[in-house]
Amino acid sequence: MDIAPLVSAVSERLPGSWSAANLFVSRNQGVLLAHPDRDEALSPGAEVLRLAQEVLDFQLEGKPFELEMRRQAGQWQADCLTDPQIEEIPPWTEESFRSWEKVSEERRLAYEDCFGPYPEQIHKVPTLMGFWPGGALVQIPYHHDEVVVTASCGLSNFGLPTPVGVYQGIDHNGQPFPELGPRRRRLVPSGSAGYGYEFLILTPQLESWPLLVLTRLLEKELLEDTDFLGKVHQYGSVTVDSLPVSPDWVVHVLIAPTEEPLPELVNLSNGTCEFLLVKVITQDDLEDSLEHGREELLDLFAEDELGQISDLECE
């Protein structure tokens, strides 16, 4: 079994003060990167999650495992301990539905506390109905300022990440068409509520375009396993260029953790839900981020009076 790439990726995530680490990998319990002797844990980041998924799915055929790592003479040594049983996703029960309802209500109350009164109208995403039961988009006038929050509502649902995939089927006329089927559930950090985050877009007034932008990002997460949270944990922020919003319109966006006065996260009964802010940026912004780094772009936005707000009419 070749675990060398995973060991290398883990070692790159560790602070220089760590000389030992344990990586726990479970499809149902998530991925935990922790110090074996101290009460310290780190986000695994996108690359560790990706490589852990490969080991779990293709080398261990779904068996949970643990890497015990220690640094000796400047080199990392690792032992891999595997569970003898293949891990199965537990079936949904009446208790599961009660947990799902509880989390949904907790998130609704959290949104009201963080942003403002929860709206009567929610926006469903038809392309994701089979993958994202109960998921929606909401738009809430932000009670701290004259700003509207457009938010995803359901990436933190109980029972996610989705165990459903889309495959190419053949209809009765022999023509290809997409159909739903089971797939391996993607790994997420231990303690995550669902995918572990929700998207936010801030605008100066109520707009319809944020619904389209978030729909495209949700499709990339749910259908393509983009792992936006893992990338933000690893790199601090991430840009998506030329995101197709409509047949004749593409946008560039910067995705990063929220800053004050927005909340960083909320705790739900199924885990932690972070907030990732989506900000529409210009072509010049995108090129500057490639040349000077996204951190400098974030600093510039922090100095700007618009800050975290996306305004398509502003230069």
Side-chain angles (χ1 to χ4, degrees):
M1 181 170 58
D2 184 12
I3 60 171
L6 178 58
V7 171
S8 176
V10 171
S11 66
E12 291 177 2
R13 292 289 294 163
L14 301 179
S17 60
W18 283 31
S19 59
N22 285 2
L23 180 74
F24 303 89
V25 179
S26 161
R27 199 182 310 282
N28 290 328
Q29 302 301 318
V31 177
L32 177 63
L33 178 57
H35 196 288
D37 306 317
R38 303 198 293 259
D39 186 20
E40 297 179 31
L42 301 171
S43 167
E47 186 65 6
V48 170
L49 286 170
R50 184 185 70 81
L51 292 169
Q53 188 93 52
E54 290 184 2
V55 173
L56 178 70
D57 288 343
F58 302 112
Q59 299 188 47
L60 295 177
E61 299 180 339
K63 298 175 183 177
F65 68 95
E66 176 183 355
L67 286 187
E68 293 183 346
M69 297 176 50
R70 291 200 174 270
R71 187 165 52 195
Q72 299 176 350
Q75 300 294 319
W76 284 95
Q77 307 296 324
D79 292 322
C80 184
L81 310 177
T82 61
D83 192 301
Q85 298 296 321
I86 294 176
E87 193 171 33
E88 301 290 345
I89 297 175
W92 273 65
T93 62
E94 185 174 339
E95 183 179 356
S96 301
F97 282 106
R98 286 198 296 268
S99 297
W100 183 91
E101 291 175 342
K102 180 181 180 182
V103 170
S104 297
E105 179 63 11
E106 290 171 346
R107 186 177 52 244
R108 184 187 70 80
L109 294 174
Y111 278 24
E112 289 195 342
D113 182 57
C114 294
F115 309 127
Y118 203 77
E120 293 184 5
Q121 180 184 17
I122 63 173
H123 303 270
K124 291 290 186 178
V125 183
T127 56
L128 299 175
M129 296 293 283
F131 300 83
W132 198 31
L137 299 169
V138 295
Q139 295 187 292
I140 305 173
Y142 188 39
H143 51 59
H144 288 288
D145 209 340
E146 294 181 358
V147 172
V148 174
V149 176
T150 301
S152 63
C153 185
L155 283 174
S156 53
N157 276 354
F158 177 86
L160 291 177
T162 178
V164 178
V166 63
Y167 303 92
Q168 181 171 297
I170 303 295
D171 64 17
H172 62 280
N173 293 320
Q175 298 299 314
F177 77 102
E179 64 178 356
L180 303 181
R183 70 165 179 179
R184 299 181 178 96
R185 176 181 284 173
R186 202 188 81 199
L187 293 174
V188 294
S190 178
S192 296
Y195 285 91
Y197 74 97
E198 298 284 357
F199 281 125
L200 304 178
I201 294 182
L202 304 186
T203 52
Q205 59 272 327
L206 185 65
E207 304 271 8
S208 60
W209 65 261
L211 299 171
L212 301 176
V213 171
L214 288 192
T215 293
R216 295 296 172 260
L217 293 175
L218 288 165
E219 288 172 346
K220 291 182 73 65
E221 184 65 273
L222 289 159
L223 302 180
E224 301 175 24
D225 287 331
T226 302
D227 189 14
F228 287 111
L229 184 62
K231 289 180 170 61
V232 167
H233 281 176
Q234 182 155 351
Y235 304 112
S237 61
V238 62
T239 53
V240 181
D241 64 285
S242 302
L243 184 71
V245 177
S246 68
D248 55 355
W249 184 40
V250 299
V251 297
H252 314 303
V253 299
L254 175 68
I255 303 173
T258 52
E259 298 179 356
E260 294 184 348
L262 293 172
E264 177 185 356
L265 55 82
V266 294
N267 291 309
L268 306 174
S269 57
N270 64 328
T272 300
C273 170
E274 300 180 40
F275 290 115
L276 295 186
L277 183 83
V278 179
K279 183 174 173 65
V280 174
I281 61 176
T282 66
Q283 180 68 36
D284 288 341
D285 292 332
L286 179 65
E287 292 173 359
D288 285 345
S289 73
L290 295 175
E291 182 176 356
H292 303 292
R294 290 184 294 269
E295 185 175 349
E296 182 172 317
L297 186 60
L298 286 168
D299 291 341
L300 289 174
F301 286 146
E303 297 171 4
D304 189 277
E305 62 179 11
L306 287 176
Q308 302 176 87
I309 300 172
S310 294
D311 187 351
L312 298 186
E313 297 182 1
C314 183
E315 290 288 336

